[in-house]
Short mmCIF file of all heavy atoms in Angstrom, two decimals:
data_model
loop_
_atom_site.label_atom_id
_atom_site.label_comp_id
_atom_site.label_asym_id
_atom_site.label_seq_id
_atom_site.Cartn_x
_atom_site.Cartn_y
_atom_site.Cartn_z
N ALA A 233 166.16 247.36 40.04
CA ALA A 233 167.03 246.33 39.39
C ALA A 233 166.96 245.01 40.12
O ALA A 233 167.12 244.91 41.33
CB ALA A 233 168.50 246.89 39.47
N VAL A 234 166.82 243.93 39.29
CA VAL A 234 166.88 242.53 39.86
C VAL A 234 168.07 241.92 39.26
O VAL A 234 168.01 241.57 38.01
CB VAL A 234 165.61 241.78 39.53
CG1 VAL A 234 165.69 240.34 40.01
CG2 VAL A 234 164.37 242.49 40.09
N ILE A 235 169.17 241.85 39.94
CA ILE A 235 170.44 241.40 39.38
C ILE A 235 170.60 239.88 39.35
O ILE A 235 170.89 239.30 38.39
CB ILE A 235 171.61 242.05 40.14
CG1 ILE A 235 171.48 243.58 40.09
CG2 ILE A 235 172.98 241.63 39.54
CD1 ILE A 235 172.28 244.34 41.07
N ASP A 236 170.37 239.29 40.54
CA ASP A 236 170.46 237.84 40.67
C ASP A 236 169.08 237.20 40.73
O ASP A 236 168.31 237.53 41.60
CB ASP A 236 171.26 237.38 41.95
CG ASP A 236 172.73 237.74 41.77
OD1 ASP A 236 173.27 237.30 40.80
OD2 ASP A 236 173.27 238.39 42.70
N GLY A 237 168.81 236.34 39.86
CA GLY A 237 167.57 235.50 39.96
C GLY A 237 166.35 236.30 39.52
O GLY A 237 166.43 237.22 38.70
N GLN A 238 165.23 235.85 40.07
CA GLN A 238 163.88 236.39 39.60
C GLN A 238 163.31 237.44 40.51
O GLN A 238 162.31 238.07 40.06
CB GLN A 238 162.91 235.15 39.62
CG GLN A 238 163.28 234.00 38.72
CD GLN A 238 163.45 234.48 37.28
OE1 GLN A 238 162.62 235.15 36.70
NE2 GLN A 238 164.61 234.14 36.69
N GLU A 239 163.91 237.69 41.67
CA GLU A 239 163.36 238.66 42.56
C GLU A 239 164.33 239.36 43.43
O GLU A 239 165.47 238.81 43.59
CB GLU A 239 162.26 237.99 43.46
CG GLU A 239 162.91 236.92 44.44
CD GLU A 239 161.90 236.14 45.13
OE1 GLU A 239 161.27 236.62 46.09
OE2 GLU A 239 161.73 234.92 44.75
N THR A 240 164.03 240.53 43.91
CA THR A 240 164.86 241.16 44.85
C THR A 240 163.91 241.78 45.94
O THR A 240 162.69 241.95 45.72
CB THR A 240 165.79 242.26 44.31
OG1 THR A 240 166.70 242.59 45.23
CG2 THR A 240 165.02 243.51 43.94
N TRP A 241 164.36 241.97 47.13
CA TRP A 241 163.56 242.49 48.20
C TRP A 241 164.22 243.77 48.72
O TRP A 241 165.49 243.81 48.91
CB TRP A 241 163.45 241.56 49.33
CG TRP A 241 162.54 240.37 49.02
CD1 TRP A 241 162.79 239.34 48.23
CD2 TRP A 241 161.19 240.12 49.53
NE1 TRP A 241 161.67 238.48 48.13
CE2 TRP A 241 160.66 239.03 48.94
CE3 TRP A 241 160.35 240.89 50.45
CZ2 TRP A 241 159.40 238.49 49.19
CZ3 TRP A 241 159.14 240.40 50.68
CH2 TRP A 241 158.57 239.26 50.10
N LYS A 242 163.47 244.80 48.90
CA LYS A 242 163.97 246.09 49.38
C LYS A 242 163.33 246.45 50.68
O LYS A 242 162.14 246.19 50.91
CB LYS A 242 163.69 247.17 48.40
CG LYS A 242 164.75 247.52 47.37
CD LYS A 242 164.31 248.66 46.51
CE LYS A 242 164.23 249.98 47.20
NZ LYS A 242 163.84 251.06 46.36
N CYS A 243 164.15 247.09 51.53
CA CYS A 243 163.49 247.62 52.77
C CYS A 243 162.83 248.94 52.41
O CYS A 243 163.53 249.92 52.03
CB CYS A 243 164.63 247.91 53.88
SG CYS A 243 163.93 248.72 55.28
N VAL A 244 161.47 248.98 52.49
CA VAL A 244 160.77 250.17 52.09
C VAL A 244 160.38 251.06 53.24
O VAL A 244 159.83 252.17 53.01
CB VAL A 244 159.55 249.82 51.17
CG1 VAL A 244 160.05 249.32 49.81
CG2 VAL A 244 158.66 248.83 51.93
N CYS A 245 160.61 250.55 54.45
CA CYS A 245 160.27 251.40 55.62
C CYS A 245 161.00 250.85 56.89
O CYS A 245 161.05 249.66 57.07
CB CYS A 245 158.75 251.44 55.84
SG CYS A 245 158.25 252.28 57.31
N THR A 246 161.46 251.81 57.66
CA THR A 246 162.12 251.43 58.98
C THR A 246 161.31 252.18 60.01
O THR A 246 161.20 253.37 59.96
CB THR A 246 163.57 251.74 59.01
OG1 THR A 246 164.29 251.04 58.08
CG2 THR A 246 164.16 251.36 60.45
N ILE A 247 160.69 251.39 60.95
CA ILE A 247 159.98 251.98 62.06
C ILE A 247 160.85 252.04 63.28
O ILE A 247 161.08 251.00 63.91
CB ILE A 247 158.68 251.20 62.33
CG1 ILE A 247 157.82 251.13 61.06
CG2 ILE A 247 157.88 251.74 63.46
CD1 ILE A 247 156.68 250.12 61.10
N SER A 248 161.26 253.24 63.61
CA SER A 248 162.22 253.39 64.71
C SER A 248 161.77 254.57 65.66
O SER A 248 160.98 255.30 65.32
CB SER A 248 163.66 253.71 64.22
OG SER A 248 163.59 254.90 63.44
N GLY A 249 162.36 254.49 66.81
CA GLY A 249 162.07 255.55 67.81
C GLY A 249 160.94 255.27 68.77
O GLY A 249 160.59 256.03 69.66
N TYR A 250 160.32 254.09 68.61
CA TYR A 250 159.25 253.70 69.52
C TYR A 250 159.70 252.67 70.59
O TYR A 250 159.37 252.76 71.77
CB TYR A 250 158.10 253.00 68.68
CG TYR A 250 157.48 253.98 67.75
CD1 TYR A 250 157.78 253.97 66.42
CD2 TYR A 250 156.47 254.89 68.18
CE1 TYR A 250 157.22 254.81 65.47
CE2 TYR A 250 155.91 255.71 67.24
CZ TYR A 250 156.26 255.75 65.93
OH TYR A 250 155.71 256.58 65.03
N HIS A 251 160.39 251.63 70.19
CA HIS A 251 160.80 250.53 71.11
C HIS A 251 162.11 250.86 71.83
O HIS A 251 162.98 251.44 71.18
CB HIS A 251 160.98 249.18 70.28
CG HIS A 251 159.70 248.74 69.59
ND1 HIS A 251 159.39 249.20 68.36
CD2 HIS A 251 158.78 247.88 69.92
CE1 HIS A 251 158.24 248.68 68.02
NE2 HIS A 251 157.85 247.84 68.87
N ASN A 252 162.06 250.68 73.11
CA ASN A 252 163.28 251.03 73.95
C ASN A 252 164.28 249.90 74.05
O ASN A 252 165.37 250.11 74.35
CB ASN A 252 162.78 251.38 75.41
CG ASN A 252 161.93 252.56 75.40
OD1 ASN A 252 160.97 252.60 76.24
ND2 ASN A 252 162.11 253.46 74.56
N ARG A 253 163.85 248.69 73.76
CA ARG A 253 164.71 247.46 74.02
C ARG A 253 164.43 246.55 72.85
O ARG A 253 163.67 246.80 71.95
CB ARG A 253 164.30 246.76 75.32
CG ARG A 253 164.28 247.66 76.52
CD ARG A 253 165.63 248.08 77.10
NE ARG A 253 166.33 246.82 77.60
CZ ARG A 253 167.70 246.85 77.94
NH1 ARG A 253 168.35 247.99 77.81
NH2 ARG A 253 168.31 245.79 78.33
N THR A 254 165.13 245.38 72.85
CA THR A 254 164.99 244.39 71.88
C THR A 254 163.49 244.11 71.53
O THR A 254 162.76 243.96 72.47
CB THR A 254 165.66 243.06 72.34
OG1 THR A 254 167.03 243.32 72.68
CG2 THR A 254 165.62 241.98 71.24
N ILE A 255 163.19 243.98 70.24
CA ILE A 255 161.87 243.56 69.92
C ILE A 255 161.92 242.05 69.61
O ILE A 255 162.64 241.62 68.66
CB ILE A 255 161.33 244.32 68.61
CG1 ILE A 255 161.55 245.80 68.72
CG2 ILE A 255 159.86 244.01 68.43
CD1 ILE A 255 161.30 246.58 67.46
N TYR A 256 161.23 241.26 70.44
CA TYR A 256 161.38 239.81 70.37
C TYR A 256 160.41 239.14 69.35
O TYR A 256 160.69 238.09 68.84
CB TYR A 256 161.20 239.19 71.69
CG TYR A 256 162.37 239.43 72.65
CD1 TYR A 256 162.23 240.29 73.78
CD2 TYR A 256 163.60 238.92 72.39
CE1 TYR A 256 163.34 240.55 74.55
CE2 TYR A 256 164.68 239.14 73.23
CZ TYR A 256 164.52 239.97 74.31
OH TYR A 256 165.63 240.29 75.06
N ASP A 257 159.29 239.87 68.99
CA ASP A 257 158.33 239.12 68.13
C ASP A 257 157.51 240.24 67.44
O ASP A 257 157.30 241.35 67.97
CB ASP A 257 157.49 238.19 68.88
CG ASP A 257 156.80 237.19 68.00
OD1 ASP A 257 157.25 236.95 66.91
OD2 ASP A 257 155.78 236.62 68.48
N VAL A 258 157.02 239.85 66.21
CA VAL A 258 156.20 240.81 65.48
C VAL A 258 155.12 239.85 64.80
O VAL A 258 155.42 238.77 64.36
CB VAL A 258 157.00 241.61 64.45
CG1 VAL A 258 157.72 240.73 63.42
CG2 VAL A 258 156.11 242.60 63.73
N CYS A 259 153.97 240.38 64.70
CA CYS A 259 152.87 239.62 64.06
C CYS A 259 152.03 240.51 63.17
O CYS A 259 151.40 241.48 63.74
CB CYS A 259 152.04 238.89 65.11
SG CYS A 259 150.82 237.74 64.36
N TRP A 260 151.91 240.21 61.89
CA TRP A 260 151.18 241.02 60.90
C TRP A 260 149.79 240.29 60.72
O TRP A 260 149.81 239.19 60.23
CB TRP A 260 151.88 241.12 59.59
CG TRP A 260 151.57 242.35 58.85
CD1 TRP A 260 150.47 243.15 58.91
CD2 TRP A 260 152.45 243.01 57.82
NE1 TRP A 260 150.59 244.21 58.13
CE2 TRP A 260 151.75 244.19 57.41
CE3 TRP A 260 153.67 242.67 57.25
CZ2 TRP A 260 152.29 245.02 56.43
CZ3 TRP A 260 154.23 243.54 56.35
CH2 TRP A 260 153.46 244.71 55.94
N SER A 261 148.77 240.88 61.23
CA SER A 261 147.38 240.23 61.09
C SER A 261 146.96 240.02 59.68
O SER A 261 147.01 240.99 58.93
CB SER A 261 146.31 241.09 61.89
OG SER A 261 145.07 240.62 61.58
N HIS A 262 146.51 238.87 59.37
CA HIS A 262 146.01 238.53 58.03
C HIS A 262 144.55 239.00 57.84
O HIS A 262 144.01 238.85 56.76
CB HIS A 262 146.21 237.07 57.61
CG HIS A 262 147.71 236.80 57.47
ND1 HIS A 262 148.17 235.60 56.98
CD2 HIS A 262 148.81 237.58 57.64
CE1 HIS A 262 149.50 235.59 56.90
NE2 HIS A 262 149.89 236.80 57.33
N THR A 263 143.96 239.49 58.84
CA THR A 263 142.53 239.91 58.69
C THR A 263 142.42 241.43 58.77
O THR A 263 141.71 242.00 58.00
CB THR A 263 141.67 239.34 59.83
OG1 THR A 263 142.42 239.25 61.06
CG2 THR A 263 141.23 237.90 59.49
N THR A 264 143.22 242.06 59.74
CA THR A 264 143.05 243.56 59.86
C THR A 264 144.29 244.30 59.35
O THR A 264 144.27 245.54 59.31
CB THR A 264 142.97 243.89 61.43
OG1 THR A 264 144.16 243.52 62.01
CG2 THR A 264 141.77 243.20 61.97
#
Side-chain angles (χ1 to χ4, degrees):
Chain A
V234 179
I235 302 161
D236 286 308
Q238 301 301 313
E239 63 190 287
T240 195
W241 286 73
K242 266 182 68 181
C243 173
V244 291
C245 178
T246 298
I247 300 169
S248 59
Y250 296 98
H251 300 84
N252 300 144
R253 308 282 297 168
T254 304
I255 312 170
Y256 289 109
D257 197 21
V258 61
C259 186
W260 210 336
S261 168
H262 288 187
T263 37
T264 62

